[in-house]
Amino acid sequence: MQSAVTRQISAELRRRLAKASNVLVLTGAGVSAESGVPTFRGGGNSAVWKGMPFDVISSATMVRRNLPAVWEWFDYRRELLKSLRPNPAHQEIARWQKRFADLSVVTQNVDGLHQLAGSKDVIELHGSIWRSRCQDCRSKIQISRTEPRAELCLDCGESLRPDVVLFGEILPSGAFELAAEKAGACELCFAIGTSGLVYPAAGLPEIAKAAGAYVCEVNPERTPVSDICDEVLTGKAGEVLPLL
Ligand code: OAD
């Protein structure tokens, strides 16, 4: 007997999956939810760190005012992430690299779980919690899962900050432009586990749709993206993606 989720998948989507060569996947916090990473929206509680709401501690202003506090918060989050593993959604997306000739994975997540699952060349729109960046020369340093992170830039000796897009900051140059180019060229676009509220990332399915792609959403809830989708698959990413 077919599951309720399987019944939602149209013959049209199956046909397109079978013949597509150029596919774009946009992911948000929901794709990591089943790994145990809390989402930003939905579920009621917004994150608070030592009495500061998430958008205060994770802000450009706080980097200027109190960089050690920002690091303390990011060190804490990295520590939590260390024990979390990719879930079936990350694993399925990583497998799609072999299935489609040209697969672009564009993520708003900073947790590195797509890469841990084996995805290559992930376009990270909001940076990575596993990298730091020099405040002066902007050189980037990978943060190890096992070694303590560097305090100062190895190139110029200036202080480092998390290489993550914080509230009040613009996206890293080139990342969105590349993602938009890929969105404009894909045949099939998936928006997975994103509330579709934060631009410019939320505009990628619109770009794909305007360029003629078939757009499909995977999310347990409706979002503003649902309205422009050709197909909405209601359910958890880790349960829906393996059925495709
Ligand atoms: P949100 O927290 O805004 O939205 C998470 C979405 O995932 C919601 O629509 C949920 O319904 C959905 N969801 C929850 N569990 C799911 C599951 N198991 N499978 C599939 N979907 C599920 O996260 P984003 O859209 O990623 O930016 O948020 C966008 C940006 O807002 C973040 O990157 C962050 C934040 O400000 C920065 O930090 C710069």
Side-chain angles (χ1 to χ4, degrees):
M1 213 175 72
Q2 283 189 334
S3 74
V5 180
T6 309
R7 277 197 299 273
Q8 292 181 61
I9 303 167
S10 73
E12 177 64 16
L13 179 58
R14 294 236 178 257
R15 193 181 65 75
R16 288 179 182 259
L17 279 164
K19 74 173 188 68
S21 54
N22 193 334
V23 176
L24 180 129
V25 173
L26 169 68
T27 66
V31 92
S32 294
E34 289 156 86
S35 292
V37 184
T39 58
F40 297 92
R41 301 171 188 84
N45 301 322
S46 62
V48 171
W49 169 248
K50 297 196 172 172
M52 279 181 275
F54 181 78
D55 54 352
V56 173
I57 183 68
S58 274
S59 69
T61 309
M62 195 55 77
V63 166
R64 284 192 297 274
R65 285 203 191 133
N66 193 347
L67 182 59
V70 175
W71 268 122
E72 204 184 329
W73 157 240
F74 276 91
D75 288 345
Y76 165 77
R77 289 174 66 197
R78 261 198 343 276
E79 207 48 47
L80 291 183
L81 272 172
K82 273 185 191 166
S83 61
L84 304 185
R85 306 297 307 158
N87 66 54
H90 299 108
Q91 287 157 357
E92 191 60 28
I93 292 167
R95 278 195 282 273
W96 283 8
Q97 252 160 206
K98 289 210 176 87
R99 182 173 176 184
F100 303 108
D102 192 348
L103 176 77
S104 305
V105 180
V106 183
T107 190
Q108 299 164 83
N109 301 344
V110 298
D111 54 33
L113 288 173
H114 281 302
Q115 290 90 336
L116 207 55
S119 284
K120 303 265 185 298
D121 302 324
V122 177
I123 301 176
E124 294 175 322
L125 293 177
H126 294 164
S128 171
I129 202 164
W130 296 104
R131 259 192 331 263
S132 46
R133 180 174 88 224
C134 177
Q135 301 233 74
D136 190 36
C137 74
R138 302 181 71 82
S139 74
K140 295 182 179 188
I141 302 176
Q142 212 62 34
I143 301 179
S144 151
R145 288 180 169 264
T146 48
E147 306 286 316
R149 65 172 170 79
E151 297 280 342
L152 299 174
C153 176
L154 304 176
D155 290 331
C156 73
E158 280 302 324
S159 58
L160 295 166
R161 56 158 283 176
D163 190 27
V164 168
V165 177
L166 303 175
F167 285 87
E169 294 185 324
I170 55 168
L171 267 53
S173 94
F176 180 74
E177 290 77 358
L178 179 61
E181 189 188 314
K182 302 274 189 188
C186 72
E187 300 153 73
L188 198 49
C189 168
F190 286 90
I192 306 171
T194 177
S195 59
L197 294 171
V198 178
Y199 278 79
L204 291 169
E206 292 169 33
I207 293 173
K209 175 82 181 170
Y214 192 83
V215 181
C216 177
E217 177 174 59
V218 180
N219 198 311
E221 293 169 14
R222 279 192 75 82
T223 74
V225 179
S226 314
D227 297 335
I228 66 139
C229 283
D230 296 289
E231 190 147 343
V232 174
L233 300 176
T234 306
K236 293 181 176 179
E239 292 169 10
V240 175
L241 294 189
L243 299 173
L244 299 176

